[in-house]
Amino acid sequence: PGRCRPEGQQRFLLPDAAPNDTYFSYQWNLKNVSYPGIDINYVNARNAFAFPYINDIIVAVVDNGVYNNHDDLHLYNVSYNAHTGGIPSGLYGDHGTKVAGVIGATANNGKGIAGVASGVKIMPISICYTDNELGIAASTTTNFANAIRFAANNGARVINNSWSFDTSSPISEINNAITYAHGKGCIVVFSSGNKGSAVSQPAAGAPSATLVVGAIDRNGYKSDFSGYGSSLDVVASADTNLDNSCKLLA
């Protein structure tokens, strides 16, 4: 009440039907025709939980970069390359663009897919989580920690981390950054890992307020590769067809 929107922002319009995005039919996590109930019932969910000023929400995507001229994404005007310590964000692959699309792709615009939180602004923060074909060495734990701190210091309300490390030991430097972000009021989200075993680090040893996400298939069963265990908080879709639909964003 009494809060004003920045000039030019539009209040979120509640949907009254399935969106017309080209690849919406791939998004069984939003509407599962084969197995009703193994989805979020997209239209009703958006109507029930819609945040009226969703355009004000900044979601940092700590990943290998986001295509900066993508016409189905709303990018925030601040980004960061945590791998190099410079501005703006870099691009080390297409995974970050897929993740950004699943989160915030513009819904009901006749193209691409529909984002679960369509309307949010994506803050791209790039890291390089594996040695790649360009001969670039993987980012250090300091780079990853700096990525989280940058997001927390620059307006992110949610910090998404769809990556994990192949180690069994908690990573104190990253955990300290997560704690710092929590102190700034951020929701920090981490993947449970893709090894098909116990939840991977940093998620396994992260502060308890961290939201740890595993994966299920369209039948509602745990995906073979998903991390699992007592630190898992919630599950989300993981499917080859859905991944292909997200890839088309890039």
Side-chain angles (χ1 to χ4, degrees):
R3 186 178 180 186
C4 296
R5 296 191 302 278
E7 185 68 27
Q9 282 198 354
Q10 298 297 314
R11 188 183 179 92
F12 173 65
L13 298 178
L14 299 177
D16 56 12
N20 64 6
D21 302 272
T22 307
Y23 302 108
F24 182 77
S25 61
Y26 285 98
Q27 296 184 270
W28 58 262
N29 58 316
L30 304 187
K31 183 178 181 180
N32 195 330
V33 176
S34 301
Y35 295 91
I38 310 299
D39 55 32
I40 67 168
N41 195 352
Y42 184 73
V43 173
N44 288 344
R46 290 301 300 267
N47 286 336
F49 300 106
F51 185 73
Y53 301 110
I54 197 167
N55 306 83
D56 294 343
I57 301 298
I58 300 166
V59 178
V61 174
V62 177
D63 212 291
N64 59 4
V66 177
Y67 286 93
N68 62 13
N69 59 350
H70 204 294
D71 60 1
D72 207 22
L73 295 173
H74 296 292
L75 300 186
Y76 188 51
N77 59 9
V78 174
S79 68
Y80 179 59
N81 188 331
H83 184 73
T84 64
I87 294 174
S89 173
L91 191 63
Y92 302 106
D94 64 3
H95 185 264
T97 302
K98 297 177 187 179
V99 171
V102 170
I103 295 169
T106 304
N108 209 36
N109 65 346
K111 64 178 72 173
I113 63 174
V116 174
S118 174
V120 299
K121 289 185 174 66
I122 300 295
M123 176 192 290
I125 301 183
S126 57
I127 43 84
C128 187
Y129 40 77
T130 59
D131 297 344
N132 65 24
E133 63 275 10
L134 299 177
I136 300 172
S139 298
T140 65
T141 55
T142 298
N143 296 141
F144 283 87
N146 288 344
I148 294 169
R149 288 177 180 274
F150 181 92
N153 286 333
N154 286 274
R157 293 286 300 278
V158 179
I159 305 174
N160 186 84
N161 303 274
S162 295
W163 44 269
S164 62
F165 285 135
D166 188 15
T167 178
S168 59
S169 301
I171 305 167
S172 59
E173 192 170 19
I174 292 178
N175 286 340
N176 289 340
I178 295 171
T179 298
Y180 178 82
H182 287 160
K184 289 280 191 175
C186 301
I187 297 171
V188 182
V189 183
F190 261 92
S191 164
S192 67
N194 292 340
K195 296 191 297 182
S197 58
V199 172
S200 298
Q201 299 292 349
S208 59
T210 307
L211 184 64
V212 180
V213 184
I216 59 170
D217 63 23
R218 67 179 60 225
N219 305 310
Y221 296 111
K222 182 184 79 68
S223 297
D224 291 342
F225 59 83
S226 177
Y228 58 87
S230 59
S231 56
L232 190 68
D233 295 304
V234 68
V235 290
S237 63
D239 182 278
T240 301
N241 287 329
L242 179 59
D243 185 64
N244 286 337
S245 74
C246 298
K247 187 174 182 179
L248 291 167
L249 270 170

